[in-house]
Amino acid sequence: MLPFRLVYHPKYDLNLGPHVFPSQKYRWLRDRLLQTRFCGEDDFVEPEPASDEDILLAHERAWVTKLKNGTLSYQEILQLEIPYSPQTIAAFWVAAGGTILAARLALESRLGFNLGGGFHHGFAGHGEGFCAINDIAVALRRLQKDGAIARAMVVDCDVHHGNGTAALFAGDPSVFTLSIHQFHNYPAVKPLSSMDIHLPDGTGDDEYLHRLRNGLAAARSMFHPDLVLYVAGADPYCEDQLGGLALTFQGLMERDRLVLETSLRENIPVAVVLAGGYAQNVQDTITIHANTAAVARKLLQAL
Ligand SMILES: [Zn+2]
């Protein structure tokens, strides 16, 4: 058995058909982890979909109603950049349930790993960039409401700025948001996170890891969370179609180790979510996500 549970549901698939977002990656990642004997069937747990009450902890009722009734405007669908279907919307509810479960599991056993989620471009009242519901905010609000945590830190290492998460927690001293991303990339408007690390185009492993190490140290000197939510995007990879950084597999694993180790060493539980990944060869995206799980296992076995 793994020292942590893998949260997965077949309904994570956003059913996008041919699209730059490989919405079947969740199943492919699960298959890879099983085929390589990284884990067994017993290591997976299936989440319940988030309830509407959960979703409403982070989102405006009008937005939730539009998503559920299929009454989005043309402009709203354009901004979302994915086609509307009831299955796609249902997938966001299940992903949010998965992130809630991964966060609860982290509190029980140091780490929880959602093989989905990370929809950090979701705002309270609209969606953007493939993200209709911000599972990160839903999960943290749910755990705060339950009294399971008071303070949380989001460490967002997707290549794109975590604009929705930044906006949702703006002015809230109980949640520290750190985003490290390529500056000249989507989203054009970047609401302030608690800490933003803007990277130039083409940043490689060494510079990235140096900036991340310093950022994490500074963030942790200012803020002590009860839980870290790690947004482990695969898109800082050098061959990503939507990213312009130049990290290698090795650099990305070192990134994972840095984020996970700095938290776990201080007994701060970590919930991991996947976020983006658009490598030219989709198998590379799967490898990067699988590597994150491998780094987590190695660390937990060593600590
Ligand atoms: Zn991204």
Side-chain angles (χ1 to χ4, degrees):
M1 287 287 281
L2 281 177
F4 55 90
R5 300 278 74 75
L6 299 164
V7 180
Y8 171 80
H9 197 292
K11 290 187 176 164
Y12 279 179
D13 190 335
L14 295 165
N15 286 283
L16 299 182
H19 192 280
V20 69
F21 188 99
S23 66
Q24 292 169 290
K25 75 171 180 178
Y26 309 113
R27 181 165 54 80
W28 291 335
L29 175 58
R30 178 184 182 278
D31 292 349
R32 171 84 71 89
L33 295 175
L34 285 169
Q35 279 158 11
T36 56
R37 298 178 188 273
F38 175 80
C39 62
E41 297 274 359
D42 293 350
D43 291 303
F44 291 94
V45 287
E46 227 173 65
E48 296 286 326
S51 67
D52 290 354
E53 186 199 339
D54 297 332
I55 300 290
L56 287 166
L57 295 173
H59 290 277
E60 294 168 11
R61 187 173 292 277
W63 176 240
V64 174
T65 303
K66 280 182 198 175
L67 289 171
K68 292 187 68 146
N69 296 348
T71 50
L72 280 74
S73 69
Y74 180 66
Q75 182 57 35
E76 284 168 330
I77 292 173
L78 266 187
Q79 205 173 10
L80 209 45
E81 296 186 71
I82 49 175
Y84 178 90
S85 78
Q87 295 97 314
T88 301
I89 298 311
F92 286 109
W93 259 252
V94 183
T99 302
I100 293 170
L101 179 57
R104 286 186 177 142
L105 290 168
L107 297 182
E108 282 171 22
S109 55
R110 298 198 285 178
L111 194 127
F113 199 113
N114 189 9
L115 261 64
F119 296 108
H120 60 163
H121 303 309
F123 285 74
H126 75 276
E128 284 184 24
F130 322 146
C131 306
I133 291 294
N134 191 315
D135 57 292
I136 301 159
V138 169
L140 296 182
R141 289 293 185 227
R142 180 74 265 167
L143 266 67
Q144 284 184 320
K145 186 100 178 175
D146 294 345
I149 59 167
R151 292 148 67 83
M153 180 180 285
V154 179
V155 178
D156 187 337
C157 294
D158 190 275
V159 80
H160 304 102
H161 177 258
N163 56 346
T165 313
L168 278 160
F169 292 115
D172 179 348
S174 72
V175 178
F176 190 102
T177 53
L178 188 167
S179 180
I180 178 167
H181 48 264
Q182 182 190 7
F183 183 66
H184 294 294
N185 200 332
Y186 172 88
V189 178
K190 298 175 175 64
L192 290 180
S193 311
S194 310
M195 180 184 292
D196 282 304
I197 304 176
H198 301 308
L199 299 173
D201 301 353
T203 299
D205 291 346
D206 290 348
E207 177 67 12
Y208 184 97
L209 294 168
H210 173 71
R211 298 285 300 272
L212 177 60
R213 190 175 293 112
N214 288 346
L216 285 172
R220 292 283 295 103
S221 70
M222 287 182 248
F223 189 89
H224 189 88
D226 304 315
L227 174 76
V228 163
L229 205 150
Y230 175 33
V231 184
D235 47 13
Y237 178 51
C238 52
E239 290 182 25
D240 196 88
Q241 299 173 87
L242 301 185
L245 299 184
L247 273 72
T248 63
F249 286 151
Q250 202 55 45
L252 287 160
M253 287 177 82
E254 190 57 26
R255 170 199 75 164
D256 295 335
R257 194 192 61 74
L258 246 178
V259 175
L260 297 175
E261 192 173 32
T262 47
S263 307
L264 295 171
R265 270 205 187 288
E266 296 181 48
N267 288 318
I268 301 166
V270 186
V272 182
V273 294
L274 296 189
Y278 316 92
Q280 288 181 2
N281 179 351
V282 70
Q283 292 306 324
D284 287 350
T285 296
I286 304 301
T287 298
I288 294 162
H289 290 317
N291 284 345
T292 303
V295 169
R297 177 175 68 177
K298 196 171 168 192
L299 270 173
L300 281 178
Q301 285 171 343
L303 285 172

